Amino acid sequence: MRSSARFALNVFSNWIHMGVSVLVGAIMIPYATACLGAELFGVYAVLGSVLALLNLLDLGLSGAVSRFSSQDQGAKNVEQLRETVSTGMLILGGAGLIGAVTLVLSLPLVRAFFTRIQPDHYDDLTAIAVCLAINFALRFVSFTMRGVLVGANRYDFINGVEIASNVVRLVLLLFFFSFFEATLLLFGMTFIAHQLIRVIGFHIFGERLVGAGRLIRFNDVTRRAVGRLGGFSAVNAVAVLGGVIILQGPVVIIGRMLGTEYATLFYPAIFVGSQLRSIIGGLCSPLIPLAAKDAVTGEGKGLAGYSIRLSRISSAFALGMLIPVGVLTWPLIQHWLGEEFLGTEWVFLVMVFGQLVASIQSANYFLLMGGSKMTSWAISQLIAAVIGIIIAAGGQWYYDWGLLGISLSVTAVVVARNLIYLPVLACRQFQTPILDYFWYVYVKPFALASLLAAIAYWLILLFPPGNLVVTIMYGSAIVLAFAPIAWFGIIAKSDRETIIGLIRSGKNRLTTNKAN
């Protein structure tokens, strides 16, 4: 399959996966909150944020495995590929086990730190901690074979496994909570089932698709592979650290200073923002194997041109999601999450805005991860994260900012980095005119989106949606209205022609297959 067609298939499958993931989460959050209660669900949210901090044990190795397995497969170096996979599996599996044990052993510290967790919830805390610890260990095991599939440029298989695991998790949750008493233990068991499917699916497809026989062998663990992975992972680990701090740090602050019930109120904003950002990531993540192959073979020398082109497309998609979410935040919260979440609308909007603005830089991130240097990117992410969390914690401690103040402080730092520093960094790295980049990626798209948002908001004030179905219909209408604006006003003509060509070639291939 041609690289452009494979890229389109990967993007399409990514979006299906993201759509299923958003749908599953949209059902699970209000359902689990209603069944467990705000305080108990908050226990899970807080502990999940603590566990996310243990993702630092990854040390950036999962990204390094993806990068170097891509390069090994591009160079057709089976021996080195086996070294990369075996060494990565040993290190990541060990790190996952250490993280799981650490979480369970640190429960007394968790209870001491989060003083607002009630003593009658300690058994539930222990149960969900054990389940999340097992989930954590399995997830680390899955990283390596997922990296092999990324290297093989088979996001379609990755996403097939992800979709199946998400659907199973939702079905199990509905079954458990319908026929048994809703507990955090049963809730945690759905996460374990989710990870087991991922581990088994990635392993089966990884070894079959690469066609290199058994990839994981203890004898293939080498010092050379450790040094190779470690050299890149050190930089990637800094980026991972920054991402974890900026996303999960607010939940830890809220759980510590305000209580677990407030962490529950904050959780939907984190979930929706990260899921919508993942949709943009699904558009750009297939750049990793392309950039990695380019770094090895020197083919596709115009790959850097993807920076401004895909940034423009990312901007169109980000704004296409931001406009309906922004103008419909109030009815969405009311009809989706219920009256318990009323009053968190601005918190929700601020966090989603920050995540979607950050997603516009996804193309540059994956280009750098696949084949270029990302030291400046990683360091700036860590600095921004630390500054944002210090401001948020200080504001809550001294001025009692509340959820909105914490959200604004963190989002302000994220937006500043993504609107000012990263575009300049990308333009220098990929030799793109700075003024052109800002005009086509930010100024023009945001101006067009603001005009449509103002019109949509005025119409919604005149005709407010009365239920969730009507709210979704309004959102769909806004997306449809923005589509021609984005197509003709934001996306470049050359990219429009490329997209049309891919659609036509896909139709021709489908017709040929049917005829045969």
Side-chain angles (χ1 to χ4, degrees):
M1 183 180 290
R2 293 184 299 111
S3 60
S4 59
R6 170 61 60 191
F7 184 87
L9 176 61
N10 287 339
V11 170
F12 181 68
S13 65
N14 275 344
W15 285 343
I16 295 176
H17 163 223
M18 287 302 116
V20 171
S21 181
V22 170
L23 179 62
V24 168
I27 296 172
M28 285 184 64
I29 291 176
Y31 182 72
T33 303
C35 293
L36 294 170
E39 284 194 33
L40 209 54
F41 187 86
V43 170
Y44 153 71
V46 165
L47 192 63
S49 296
V50 173
L51 183 64
L53 297 176
L54 292 174
N55 283 331
L56 302 178
L57 290 169
D58 172 282
L59 299 175
L61 280 170
S62 59
V65 169
S66 297
R67 175 189 175 101
F68 291 116
S69 66
S70 297
Q71 293 183 1
D72 294 340
Q73 292 175 68
K76 295 181 170 47
N77 191 333
V78 176
E79 179 182 353
Q80 194 160 271
L81 174 62
R82 287 199 178 105
E83 290 182 2
T84 299
V85 174
S86 298
T87 305
M89 178 65 78
L90 179 64
I91 297 175
L92 286 169
L97 182 60
I98 291 172
V101 173
T102 300
L103 178 66
V104 174
L105 294 180
S106 65
L107 279 179
L109 296 177
V110 172
R111 290 196 292 264
F113 183 78
F114 295 103
T115 55
R116 294 177 182 266
I117 296 179
Q118 299 300 317
D120 56 345
H121 291 325
Y122 284 172
D123 289 342
D124 295 294
L125 177 66
T126 302
I128 191 64
V130 171
C131 291
L132 289 180
I134 297 172
N135 170 78
F136 183 86
L138 290 172
R139 190 165 65 86
F140 266 58
V141 170
S142 74
F143 283 159
T144 303
M145 295 310 292
R146 187 184 187 281
V148 172
L149 290 171
V150 170
N153 206 11
R154 295 311 299 264
Y155 283 84
D156 49 342
F157 283 91
I158 293 174
N159 292 317
V161 173
E162 296 282 14
I163 290 170
S165 64
N166 274 305
V167 171
V168 168
R169 181 173 59 171
L170 176 60
V171 171
L172 284 176
L173 178 70
L174 296 175
F175 174 78
F176 287 156
F177 283 11
S178 296
F179 294 97
F180 304 97
E181 181 183 358
T183 64
L184 282 181
L185 175 61
L186 292 178
F187 188 54
M189 289 175 64
T190 65
F191 287 89
I192 296 175
H194 166 72
Q195 290 299 338
L196 280 172
I197 293 173
R198 294 179 77 249
V199 170
I200 295 171
F202 290 157
H203 187 87
I204 292 173
F205 286 126
E207 292 207 338
R208 287 184 178 179
L209 283 174
V210 173
R214 191 158 62 91
L215 287 173
I216 302 172
R217 301 186 300 188
F218 184 77
N219 291 336
D220 288 329
V221 177
T222 64
R223 291 184 179 179
R224 179 177 67 174
V226 171
R228 189 170 177 236
L229 292 170
F232 176 77
S233 66
V235 176
N236 198 30
V238 176
V240 171
L241 174 60
V244 169
I245 291 174
I246 202 66
L247 198 59
Q248 302 299 333
V251 182
V252 174
I253 293 172
I254 292 166
R256 163 68 176 175
M257 297 184 175
L258 297 177
T260 56
E261 64 274 18
Y262 284 91
T264 298
L265 297 177
F266 192 75
Y267 187 82
I270 292 288
F271 169 78
V272 173
S274 60
Q275 289 298 315
L276 293 180
R277 184 175 181 177
S278 296
I279 293 176
I280 310 298
L283 168 68
C284 302
S285 59
L287 287 171
I288 294 176
L290 295 179
K293 183 178 180 181
D294 180 70
V296 173
T297 64
E299 297 177 3
K301 295 182 179 180
L303 195 60
Y306 276 112
S307 173
I308 187 169
R309 293 169 59 192
L310 275 177
S311 292
R312 291 176 68 171
I313 297 175
S314 297
S315 181
F317 275 93
L319 293 171
M321 291 183 287
L322 180 59
I323 297 171
V325 171
V327 300
L328 291 167
T329 292
W330 280 259
L332 182 63
I333 295 293
Q334 178 183 358
H335 300 308
W336 172 42
L337 297 173
E339 294 182 358
E340 186 177 8
F341 287 83
L342 293 179
T344 64
E345 293 88 351
W346 278 108
V347 175
F348 184 89
L349 181 57
V350 166
M351 292 301 296
V352 170
F353 176 80
Q355 290 295 305
L356 286 176
V357 169
S359 71
I360 296 174
Q361 288 297 317
S362 295
N364 295 324
Y365 172 76
F366 288 113
L367 283 171
L368 292 172
M369 176 173 281
S372 190
K373 297 179 179 180
M374 57 181 300
T375 304
S376 298
W377 181 292
I379 293 175
S380 69
Q381 177 152 306
L382 179 59
I383 293 173
V386 172
I387 292 174
I389 291 302
I390 289 176
I391 294 174
Q396 178 59 36
W397 181 267
Y398 289 106
Y399 303 106
D400 195 23
W401 276 358
L403 293 180
L404 182 57
I406 293 172
S407 304
L408 284 170
S409 58
V410 171
T411 299
V413 175
V414 170
V415 170
R417 172 177 176 264
N418 282 274
L419 283 182
I420 301 173
Y421 177 73
L422 291 186
V424 174
L425 176 65
C427 289
R428 288 179 178 176
Q429 192 124 10
F430 298 117
Q431 299 180 349
T432 303
I434 294 178
L435 292 180
D436 287 351
Y437 190 94
F438 273 97
W439 171 255
Y440 288 113
V441 176
Y442 290 108
V443 178
K444 185 180 179 182
F446 275 70
L448 294 172
S450 298
L451 179 61
L452 177 61
I455 296 172
Y457 186 70
W458 178 71
L459 290 174
I460 288 169
L461 288 178
L462 292 177
F463 308 101
N467 54 57
L468 183 59
V469 174
V470 177
T471 303
I472 294 173
M473 291 175 63
Y474 275 27
S476 301
I478 293 172
V479 171
L480 291 175
F482 183 68
I485 297 174
W487 182 254
F488 293 104
I490 301 176
I491 299 174
K493 181 179 179 180
S494 59
D495 291 322
R496 295 200 301 266
E497 293 173 349
T498 300
I499 294 170
I500 292 172
L502 288 172
I503 294 173
R504 287 175 176 171
S505 64
K507 288 182 177 179
N508 293 336
R509 190 177 297 109
L510 182 62
T511 303
T512 302
N513 291 338
K514 286 183 177 180
N516 293 334

